Amino acid sequence: MKRHKDKRRIIKMSTRKKVHTYVRVKPTDEFAYEMITFGEDNKSIDIHIKKDSRRGIVNNQQTDWSFKLDGVLHDASQDCVYDTVAKGVVAQALDGYNGTIMCYGQTGAGKTYTMTGTTENYKHRGILPRALQQVFRMIEERPTHSITVRVSYLEIYNEALFDLLSTLPYVGNSDTPMSIVESPQGIFVKGLSVHMTGREEDAFSLLFEGETNRIIASHTMNKNSSRSHCIFTIYIEAHSRSLSDEKYITSKINLVDLAGSERVGKTGSEGQILKEATYINKSLSFLEQAIIALGDRRREHVPFRQCKLTHALKDSLGGNCNMVIVANVYGDATQLDETLSSLRFASRMKLITTEPSINEKYDAERMVKNLEKELILLKQELAIHDSLANRVMVTYDPMDEVQIAEINSQVRRYLDGSLDEIDIINLRQVQEVFNQFRVILSQQEEEVEASLRKKYTLINKNDFATITTVHKAGLVDVEGNTVGETDGQGFGLGVAPFSAKPGKKGKFKKTFRDITGTSTKKEGLLSPVSAKDIDSLSTSRSQLLSSSKEADVKDAPSHDREASSSEPVVSDSPKEDSRTTRPGTPPPKPSAFEEFKNERGSEINRIFKQNKTILNDRRKKASETAQRINSIKKEIDTTKEALDVQKTFREEQGEYENKGLMIMDEEEFLLILKLKELKKQYRGEYQDLRDLKAEIQYCQHLVDQCRQRLLTEFDIWYNESFLIHEDVQAPLKAKGSIRLGLLPLSKLTSLVRLKMMRINLAKSKHQSSLTVPTRSLSTMPE
Ligand code: ADP
Ligand code: MG
């Protein structure tokens, strides 16, 4: 029930609310009844001043003011003041909300009386001792929590910090000069003694000690106590006694007795008084600025550091804490000026909103312990699940080096094809498998690159400057091929040399495996890809090109046709100029490949797919058969074991024979029969598996062949459709069955020349109708 109530309070408190302001009027025999009147609701106070006749006929001087506050405390007892002003703030501090109560006003108006009260009269004790009492009472009412209370008493005089409890024994370095420090845990005054108080009485003696020190200091250091700010802080930390609760709350209650707000030294003050006045006026106006800034949501910067008072109270002013201000005023006519000034301050503060929130923290040690407990429970739960699902030997501990090495080897075998499947054991293992894939992939990448570097100089494709330089130096021809490459196909015109054409299956297979897993992300001239990716070619333009160059992919780096066509080296290629009927730039290979598969390559593609389906089907069957074999093997083993048991039993009982025949009981006999049957099954399945494996090998071969065929045909089609000019094709096609797409471009130009020469010879005087642009021919690589 109580819990429920608390919860509701927290929800309610998380909404915005105002700074609470009260005015307390000090009792006097000369109360200015004509000038000060109170509203009936006890929440407003009106001030009326007679017009100043000295100001002449035109007199715009304001004479009436009305202040609306949260309460007017006139002739109010200390009891009543506490209940109205402090009780709620203190109660909420035990729920984790910071609270600050401040007394503001001119010297002698009753700030200290309100805050501390008179020490000699218990009845007249102020907010401070009453707050301590309430805290300890509430702790007693909460046996479910372990709550600690600590206190400190700080005085700020002329911007210097004084510890009013420094005379008491304190665990900590008392010699440290005091300074205000901001830490992730909040703001604190370094060097200020903070004292643990287990009981109400202890807290009181601390308070008395502080008050005595305050008086002594005012004499010995020539301090005027009304010129200093005093902050008494109660620190509360509440841990639930239930260990499962990891949250705990911390809060502070700051009880602030501010320095007199009167504007001292307006005229003629000097020395110490002027200094005090300057500091007080400044710190009080900084206090006001800080509270106003805190209330303004749009303000990002709050000027806390301007003075010690606001800096020390940084996390306890407005903002997320409960804040109450009491304006202590005189009721005498002579003090009306200062009374007015204090009331103005209070009403400005009243406009400010705060958003109190709980200071909740997590007990790291408790959290770790609870998580450990939960981990053990979950492991037990998993073990139960495993045994119910007949999963044995599954561990959930982190893998050791040996296990990781084993997974690495599995992945390698899987990649080279000697392992068909990697069995899934648990999540950790699956993650490690992926991890090992990455490890092997990057190793292979490095190996491939290293071997290429041994043979070739690699240039970044995007590095136009280098490419141009190399081009100028004659190292790369206009087609982007390195000079010295026979046939000029080294950089992937898409035309493969004859030596690398189908028929060289063994070589293909090797290269194919080499490429697998070496698809590189790095930019450069290299972009080999796994031929397995052939179906998803549309994702990468450069990949298609390299995979289409089968045999020498590993050794011969290939240029990205598309990319290189945009480079200055190729942009002025003559082919571009002479192409009229076909698009200016050849289409990207991936999309062309899609088109090819639907057109000329459709039949090969269909067969390729069909073979792949068959291959997959056989693989699946093989895996199923293997599984069956395993389970038969297991059953054979258990049957054998059972037979052994029977046999031992029979031997122990003493064997008996009948006419040379062994007598055995029916159970044993049935087991033998079963074993025989199982062995037969085992042999059958084993034979099936062997057949399937042979079939798989064969199918794999077919699939590889089809893939190769598809790629080669595509290359030819691509070259004929987009790269070789029709004018070049026409005279050569007439010759017969030459597949032009199969030839490297350099060869084609020589052929064209040859043809032209023959035509010229035959028709002697006739001009050839061949209109191959001379520039094109002259710049084509030989
Ligand atoms: P301040 O701290 O604002 O300078 P004090 O609290 O020291 O003022 O008050 C000055 C004197 O007036 C003290 O002797 C105090 O006991 C007395 N006093 C102030 N307020 C009250 C009050 N509400 N009832 C009775 N005495 C009061
Ligand atoms: Mg005082």
Side-chain angles (χ1 to χ4, degrees):
M1 196 55 204
K2 189 164 185 344
R3 251 183 107 77
H4 181 67
K5 208 169 124 195
D6 286 349
K7 216 173 182 176
R8 230 180 38 212
R9 190 159 56 212
I10 291 163
I11 293 161
K12 198 174 131 205
M13 285 310 300
S14 60
T15 53
R16 283 172 80 77
K17 66 181 199 181
K18 301 263 182 200
V19 168
H20 283 176
T21 51
Y22 298 91
V23 57
R24 185 178 195 185
V25 188
K26 184 182 165 182
T28 171
D29 292 338
E30 288 159 29
F31 187 81
Y33 289 105
E34 295 152 40
M35 296 176 176
I36 305 171
T37 49
F38 305 112
E40 276 185 8
D41 57 355
N42 241 354
K43 287 191 172 173
S44 61
I45 179 166
D46 295 339
I47 307 287
H48 174 74
I49 298 179
K50 286 186 200 125
K51 280 204 176 184
D52 188 348
S53 51
R54 285 169 300 172
R55 287 208 175 195
I57 310 155
V58 186
N59 189 349
N60 292 329
Q61 190 189 4
Q62 192 180 346
T63 54
D64 291 284
W65 292 267
S66 183
F67 299 98
K68 279 219 168 305
L69 303 167
D70 291 289
V72 175
L73 302 157
H74 183 226
D75 277 337
S77 66
Q78 293 283 65
D79 235 359
C80 164
V81 170
Y82 184 78
D83 285 354
T84 318
V85 168
K87 206 173 181 178
V89 175
V90 174
Q92 290 206 333
L94 273 117
D95 288 332
Y97 295 94
N98 285 349
T100 300
I101 302 170
M102 281 188 182
C103 285
Y104 181 98
Q106 72 182 110
T107 302
K111 296 183 297 297
T112 308
Y113 182 79
T114 304
M115 207 39 97
T116 318
T118 52
T119 34
E120 63 280 356
N121 188 332
Y122 184 70
K123 206 179 153 208
H124 294 154
R125 71 198 187 284
I127 292 174
L128 256 165
R130 284 169 201 265
L132 286 167
Q133 266 173 324
Q134 190 188 339
V135 166
F136 285 105
R137 298 267 154 84
M138 286 184 76
I139 291 174
E140 273 173 29
E141 287 167 14
R142 295 190 185 192
T144 50
H145 284 73
S146 144
I147 303 172
T148 55
V149 179
R150 291 174 304 147
V151 300
S152 69
Y153 208 172
L154 174 73
E155 185 181 25
I156 305 171
Y157 180 71
N158 287 354
E159 284 303 272
L161 305 169
F162 297 91
D163 184 354
L164 291 177
L165 299 180
S166 63
T167 46
L168 291 170
Y170 167 62
V171 210
N173 195 350
S174 50
D175 296 334
T176 348
M178 290 212 281
S179 59
I180 300 165
V181 178
E182 291 184 42
S183 76
Q185 285 77 42
I187 199 122
F188 71 98
V189 181
K190 204 166 122 193
L192 176 69
S193 60
V194 182
H195 304 263
M196 178 87 95
T197 50
R199 294 176 309 164
E200 204 175 306
E201 300 90 275
D202 299 345
F204 282 168
S205 52
L206 283 168
L207 178 59
F208 285 127
E209 180 80 14
E211 289 306 320
T212 317
N213 285 338
R214 197 171 160 186
I215 293 159
I216 294 170
S218 75
H219 289 285
T220 55
M221 298 177 76
N222 197 22
K223 273 195 304 191
N224 182 342
S225 71
S226 71
R227 301 276 176 263
S228 67
H229 308 292
C230 289
I231 307 171
F232 187 85
T233 311
I234 308 172
Y235 307 82
I236 298 165
E237 195 170 307
H239 291 258
S240 162
R241 289 199 196 274
S242 140
L243 287 175
S244 60
D245 196 350
E246 294 146 3
K247 279 184 273 178
Y248 70 98
I249 52 152
T250 59
S251 60
K252 297 195 240 196
I253 308 168
N254 288 295
L255 303 169
V256 189
D257 184 355
L258 292 168
S261 61
E262 65 278 7
R263 279 153 296 167
V264 260
K266 261 187 291 186
T267 48
S269 306
E270 47 185 38
Q272 174 83 350
I273 295 182
L274 181 65
K275 193 176 165 193
E276 284 172 353
T278 321
Y279 281 131
I280 295 162
N281 291 348
K282 269 193 184 158
S283 62
L284 288 178
S285 81
F286 288 147
L287 174 69
E288 186 174 342
Q289 283 175 23
I291 299 173
I292 289 172
L294 276 165
D296 187 349
R297 278 179 162 183
R298 290 159 302 178
R299 279 281 290 270
E300 275 179 16
H301 177 69
V302 178
F304 285 115
R305 287 159 164 272
Q306 282 172 322
C307 68
K308 296 278 189 301
L309 175 69
T310 50
H311 200 187
L313 290 173
K314 186 179 171 179
D315 54 6
S316 310
L317 287 178
N320 70 346
C321 77
N322 286 311
M323 180 140 184
V324 179
I325 287 172
V326 180
N328 287 97
V329 298
Y330 277 98
D332 305 66
T334 49
Q335 304 295 333
L336 220 54
D337 248 13
E338 291 298 336
T339 299
L340 210 51
S341 150
S342 296
L343 287 171
R344 285 195 192 115
F345 175 82
S347 57
R348 285 197 298 273
M349 291 299 106
K350 191 184 175 281
L351 299 175
I352 294 156
T353 44
T354 62
E355 211 161 343
S357 60
I358 301 177
N359 297 300
E360 215 165 42
K361 289 171 185 160
Y362 282 86
D363 186 329
E365 212 175 302
R366 262 194 205 183
M367 227 153 111
V368 169
K369 272 191 188 139
N370 289 339
L371 286 172
E372 274 173 354
K373 255 193 218 164
E374 201 172 321
L375 194 73
I376 293 169
L377 266 173
L378 287 172
K379 275 189 176 176
Q380 285 170 351
E381 186 101 340
L382 261 178
I384 292 170
H385 275 280
D386 283 338
S387 68
L388 288 175
N390 263 338
R391 298 175 77 206
V392 280
M393 300 294 287
V394 185
T395 65
Y396 296 96
D397 297 324
M399 303 220 169
D400 58 25
E401 278 173 32
V402 180
Q403 286 166 312
I404 292 172
E406 170 56 26
I407 288 178
N408 180 289
S409 131
Q410 269 186 345
V411 173
R412 280 182 196 280
R413 278 180 283 142
Y414 180 79
L415 282 173
D416 72 20
S418 61
L419 184 69
D420 277 342
E421 275 173 14
I422 297 175
D423 287 332
I424 289 175
I425 297 168
N426 59 27
L427 200 62
R428 232 188 253 276
Q429 175 249 359
V430 171
Q431 275 168 345
E432 194 51 49
V433 166
F434 278 117
N435 193 29
Q436 290 307 319
F437 265 115
R438 185 194 278 161
V439 169
I440 293 167
L441 182 70
S442 68
Q443 277 171 0
Q444 291 191 346
E445 259 176 34
E446 276 164 26
E447 280 165 26
V448 169
E449 196 175 323
S451 77
L452 282 166
R453 278 190 192 284
K454 256 190 226 161
K455 209 168 171 187
Y456 302 101
T457 309
L458 303 185
I459 307 164
N460 189 330
K461 276 196 278 187
N462 296 326
D463 187 354
F464 296 131
T466 315
I467 288 179
T468 318
T469 321
V470 171
H471 178 209
K472 277 184 188 148
L475 293 172
V476 178
D477 61 24
V478 283
E479 298 290 346
N481 304 324
T482 47
V483 172
E485 285 279 324
T486 48
D487 296 336
Q489 79 281 10
F491 278 85
L493 259 178
V495 188
F498 285 115
S499 60
K501 289 294 162 187
K504 311 226 165 195
K505 293 154 203 161
K507 200 175 179 189
F508 164 67
K509 195 148 193 174
K510 177 188 170 281
T511 318
F512 189 63
R513 190 159 290 160
D514 284 339
I515 303 163
T516 311
T518 58
S519 140
T520 173
K521 285 166 264 146
K522 287 172 195 160
E523 300 233 7
L525 292 173
L526 277 175
S527 35
V529 68
S530 157
K532 278 182 181 172
D533 290 340
I534 192 156
D535 293 334
S536 55
L537 275 171
S538 50
T539 52
S540 158
R541 294 146 72 172
S542 57
Q543 283 178 345
L544 172 67
L545 191 76
S546 8
S547 56
S548 67
K549 291 191 48 65
E550 8 84 335
D552 290 325
V553 168
K554 192 181 173 223
D555 298 326
S558 60
H559 241 338
D560 181 354
R561 176 110 210 126
E562 304 307 322
S564 58
S565 68
S566 64
E567 289 163 17
V569 182
V570 187
S571 62
D572 59 351
S573 159
K575 291 197 297 293
E576 308 280 323
D577 307 340
S578 57
R579 199 172 285 123
T580 48
T581 49
R582 287 180 284 185
T585 15
K589 283 209 166 183
S591 59
F593 188 65
E594 288 309 310
E595 193 189 329
F596 169 75
K597 279 199 287 189
N598 292 327
E599 282 177 32
R600 207 205 284 183
S602 68
E603 182 60 8
I604 315 170
N605 190 40
R606 191 184 60 76
I607 297 167
F608 171 59
K609 277 191 170 166
Q610 211 172 41
N611 282 336
K612 241 170 52 171
T613 318
I614 295 169
L615 178 64
N616 286 340
D617 175 58
R618 295 300 179 273
R619 276 195 180 135
K620 201 169 151 230
K621 276 205 178 116
S623 136
E624 284 163 358
T625 313
Q627 265 172 19
R628 274 201 302 279
I629 289 174
N630 280 341
S631 62
I632 293 171
K633 180 77 180 51
K634 252 186 217 158
E635 227 182 317
I636 288 176
D637 289 343
T638 44
T639 317
K640 267 185 184 162
E641 258 170 44
L643 261 175
D644 277 344
V645 173
Q646 287 282 338
K647 198 178 160 207
T648 334
F649 179 72
R650 176 156 47 84
E651 280 165 1
E652 279 168 359
Q653 296 292 310
E655 294 178 299
Y656 52 97
E657 290 178 9
N658 190 355
K659 292 176 195 162
L661 286 173
M662 183 80 73
I663 303 293
M664 57 174 75
D665 66 350
E666 198 187 6
E667 210 176 323
E668 194 175 352
F669 179 65
L670 286 174
L671 279 173
I672 291 171
L673 283 185
K674 189 182 171 188
L675 192 63
K676 271 191 173 172
E677 177 54 26
L678 282 169
K679 280 189 172 164
K680 199 175 138 200
Q681 273 180 31
Y682 184 86
R683 278 194 296 273
E685 294 281 5
Y686 198 74
Q687 186 57 41
D688 285 353
L689 186 64
R690 262 175 41 193
D691 293 346
L692 274 167
K693 280 196 170 158
E695 201 177 346
I696 285 168
Q697 247 182 348
Y698 186 75
C699 280
Q700 179 68 60
H701 208 65
L702 279 179
V703 167
D704 289 346
Q705 247 181 4
C706 283
R707 180 185 288 118
Q708 192 47 47
R709 183 81 198 284
L710 194 63
L711 288 170
T712 315
E713 286 296 333
F714 169 68
D715 267 349
I716 295 167
W717 172 82
Y718 189 84
N719 291 336
E720 285 178 357
S721 309
F722 306 109
L723 301 179
I724 308 167
H725 199 276
E726 275 155 317
D727 293 341
V728 179
Q729 289 192 31
L732 296 174
K733 262 188 180 163
K735 187 101 171 83
S737 58
I738 297 178
R739 302 202 63 185
L740 298 174
L742 212 57
L743 299 176
L745 282 189
S746 56
K747 285 243 164 75
L748 280 173
T749 43
S750 336
L751 273 173
V752 169
R753 276 187 191 158
L754 200 69
K755 174 85 180 168
M756 278 165 73
M757 276 161 66
R758 282 197 189 142
I759 290 169
N760 288 345
L761 269 176
K763 299 193 174 174
S764 58
K765 283 168 197 166
H766 287 282
Q767 192 70 31
S768 166
S769 58
L770 205 59
T771 52
V772 178
T774 46
R775 191 172 147 237
S776 159
L777 285 171
S778 62
T779 46
M780 277 205 179
E782 287 300 311

